[in-house]
Amino acid sequence: MTQKINQGDELLDQLTSDSRQTRQVARRRMIAEAVMSEGSMRIEDLTDRFGISLMTAHRDVDELVSRGLFRKTRGIVTAAATNLIESSDIYRSSRQSAEKKAIAEAAMQFVEPGQAIFFDDSTTVLQMAPHLSSKVPITAITNSLTLMNALTGMHDVTLLALGGQYYNWCNAFMGRMTINEIRALRADVFFISMSAINEGIVLHQSPETVDTKRAMFDCSVKRILLADHTKFDRRALHSFAALDEFDVVIVDDRTPSVQIDRMRSKDINVVVARTGSGRV
């Protein structure tokens, strides 16, 4: 049990910031990963694993319940349906971290000073935030509350925050009001990531996500898709667009060569981001 506590402390100590909020976010992410892995856990076990009080454990679990990730009954926390988990920003931010960072870095070659840019609420696009200061001045337009917070105060970045109905599971604003705001704007570039690509079609499980991102897509001159290798040959309910509707598709080097060749055979501009562990 002491070993588990130490593992949690080591992970938290790796954070570059010691702020209470940063540590809280990291701890909740680790709790989410632990429950997702085991399916269900006693809240008392979380206190032992992460070295926190029972009150703190309940507070963290309640936040994750509010995001639709978990159900809590009589001291037991249980993972929700898979599609809800996979939609959440907490889950998405913990997956394919190296690939997302490499893809985001490769995407920066398409950012130029003076541009107005739509950034969606994906965790892959979020990885572009640390690099944007090298391409200022820019105007960043986003519905992602996480990205808004990351860009707040960044020198020479004009931030246009899209409002509307707030969705806790993705920490973003979507819906009719958001779409109306988007339609009043025209951007040079749109950076987007989605949850699935199958038979040349990009898909997502949330209709609100599809509608909101489609508005950004329609109001941009250039559309750039960021997709790590796990997105291919997956399915989701709602169709968004065909791959050949994008100006650029950026993938990581673990993407099967057959997928890359298939896209290039359709004259899609494919950029392969190097992680150092690829097979293509």
Side-chain angles (χ1 to χ4, degrees):
M1 196 68 69
T2 302
Q3 183 179 3
K4 290 181 178 179
I5 296 173
N6 290 338
Q7 288 173 347
D9 288 341
E10 288 173 5
L11 286 170
L12 290 173
D13 288 339
Q14 291 172 6
L15 296 171
T16 57
S17 171
D18 290 327
S19 70
R20 179 179 178 182
Q21 182 179 8
T22 301
R23 292 174 66 86
Q24 181 185 72
V25 169
R27 185 181 66 246
R28 288 175 178 175
R29 182 172 292 123
M30 289 188 289
I31 290 173
E33 291 176 357
V35 176
M36 289 171 193
S37 175
E38 299 191 21
S40 65
M41 293 182 66
R42 293 193 315 154
I43 294 178
E44 288 182 357
D45 292 338
L46 294 175
T47 66
D48 293 334
R49 177 171 296 196
F50 297 103
I52 56 178
S53 69
L54 185 60
M55 181 179 295
T56 298
H58 275 283
R59 187 161 51 241
D60 288 346
V61 167
D62 287 343
E63 169 62 20
L64 297 170
V65 168
S66 75
R67 287 174 173 261
L69 285 173
F70 298 152
R71 294 183 296 272
K72 186 175 80 168
T73 307
R74 297 180 180 177
I76 302 292
V77 57
T78 305
T82 302
N83 63 333
L84 290 176
I85 291 174
E86 293 185 353
S87 295
S88 74
D89 61 325
I90 289 178
Y91 176 89
R92 289 179 289 127
S93 65
S94 68
R95 303 300 174 183
Q96 284 71 53
S97 177
E99 290 89 341
K100 290 177 180 179
K101 289 178 180 178
I103 290 170
E105 187 171 356
M108 289 303 301
Q109 66 187 281
F110 299 102
V111 177
E112 298 178 5
Q115 288 180 328
I117 305 171
F118 278 126
F119 297 96
D120 77 355
D121 64 337
S122 66
T123 55
T124 305
V125 169
L126 178 63
Q127 294 297 328
M128 296 178 66
H131 304 287
L132 293 177
S133 61
S134 66
K135 294 294 184 80
V136 296
I138 62 168
T139 297
I141 314 163
T142 186
N143 66 321
S144 166
L145 186 56
T146 307
L147 184 56
M148 292 175 198
N149 290 330
L151 298 182
T152 299
M154 187 174 289
H155 184 64
D156 283 338
V157 174
T158 300
L159 176 60
L160 298 186
L162 299 168
Q165 182 175 346
Y166 175 72
Y167 286 76
N168 199 12
W169 59 265
C170 60
N171 206 28
F173 300 92
M174 297 187 292
R176 180 176 56 82
M177 292 178 64
T178 312
I179 290 171
N180 287 341
E181 291 188 15
I182 292 168
R183 287 176 176 166
L185 302 170
R186 292 295 180 270
D188 298 294
V189 191
F190 174 33
F191 291 100
I192 172 179
S193 186
M194 298 288 273
S195 61
I197 301 171
N198 196 279
E199 297 181 353
I201 302 297
V202 180
L203 311 108
H204 200 277
Q205 54 268 41
S206 163
E208 294 85 3
T209 296
V210 167
D211 291 344
T212 302
K213 294 188 183 188
R214 186 71 207 192
M216 294 182 186
F217 187 97
D218 291 340
C219 293
S220 302
V221 176
K222 179 177 287 187
R223 298 85 169 239
I224 301 177
L225 177 67
L226 283 54
D228 69 72
H229 65 279
T230 66
K231 306 296 178 64
F232 290 88
D233 287 333
R234 294 189 63 187
R235 293 185 180 276
L237 182 59
H238 300 282
S239 173
F240 176 79
L243 280 172
D244 59 12
E245 293 184 64
F246 292 90
D247 297 282
V248 184
V249 177
I250 306 177
V251 300
D252 66 81
D253 54 6
R254 294 185 63 190
T255 305
S257 57
V258 64
Q259 298 287 359
I260 295 173
D261 293 343
R262 188 176 297 153
M263 288 187 286
R264 287 177 172 164
S265 71
K266 296 180 179 179
D267 294 325
I268 297 171
N269 182 7
V270 180
V271 174
V272 180
R274 300 295 173 182
T275 65
S277 60
R279 299 190 297 265
V280 297

